[in-house]
Amino acid sequence: MTYDAPVLAISVAAELAGMHPQTLRQYDRLGLVSPSRTHGRGRRYSLRDVATLREVQRLSQDEGINLAGIKRILALESEVERLGEQVELLRTMVDPGRRVFAAGAKGEVVAVPRGHRPARVTSSGALVVWRPAQHDR
């Protein structure tokens, strides 16, 4: 079973999370956890959902955060994760040759080989974007 596979019935997910099934239904209605649905509309939870439920319980009981605050925290954590993945994707596109980018004559982004200057544009004055070498790599 993979971490994201929606295979757990509500009773099993509730037991793993240490909650009552009705609590899971309430959290679903509030949008804190969004389980997958079967053709008959039954909820199916993944191990990721169970981990989220445990985090909701921890934030609520140990930290005293209300459900609206928890929903916001979960949304922000999800956004941070999404942005981290996007940064990694962009890094793989840029880092292999440690390319330098500049603005072309019409404002488009153009790659400039490392150690070379962009072609000079007399009317617009190209803007060169660079990143200083990092010595910790």
Side-chain angles (χ1 to χ4, degrees):
M1 176 169 74
T2 66
Y3 195 64
D4 291 315
V7 296
L8 304 172
I10 191 167
S11 59
V12 176
E15 186 175 335
L16 290 173
M19 298 177 175
H20 191 278
Q22 195 61 27
T23 305
L24 274 64
R25 291 183 186 94
Q26 180 67 21
Y27 288 174
D28 184 11
R29 282 191 289 276
L30 293 173
L32 291 170
V33 176
S34 299
S36 296
R37 299 288 182 150
T38 64
H39 292 297
R41 303 292 299 147
R43 292 172 174 88
R44 288 292 180 262
Y45 292 84
S46 68
L47 292 176
R48 182 181 303 277
D49 294 329
V50 171
T52 300
L53 290 166
R54 287 181 178 168
E55 181 66 3
V56 168
Q57 187 174 45
R58 186 191 71 75
L59 289 170
S60 175
Q61 292 178 354
D62 297 348
E63 305 295 332
I65 301 171
N66 66 25
L67 294 179
I70 292 171
K71 184 175 182 178
R72 183 72 177 134
I73 288 168
L74 294 176
L76 290 170
E77 286 177 346
S78 177
E79 182 69 3
V80 166
E81 185 177 330
R82 187 190 68 77
L83 290 172
E85 290 168 0
Q86 187 176 5
V87 165
E88 284 307 310
L89 174 67
L90 292 171
R91 188 171 281 142
T92 61
M93 293 170 63
V94 173
D95 278 350
R98 295 219 171 186
R99 290 175 260 177
V100 176
F101 295 90
K106 296 180 182 171
E108 74 279 11
V109 175
V110 294
V112 179
R114 189 173 177 90
H116 292 84
R117 293 183 178 263
R120 207 176 250 288
V121 179
T122 57
S123 61
S124 71
L127 170 70
V128 177
V129 180
W130 63 280
R131 180 173 60 185
Q134 295 178 349
H135 297 290
D136 57 57
R137 287 189 175 194

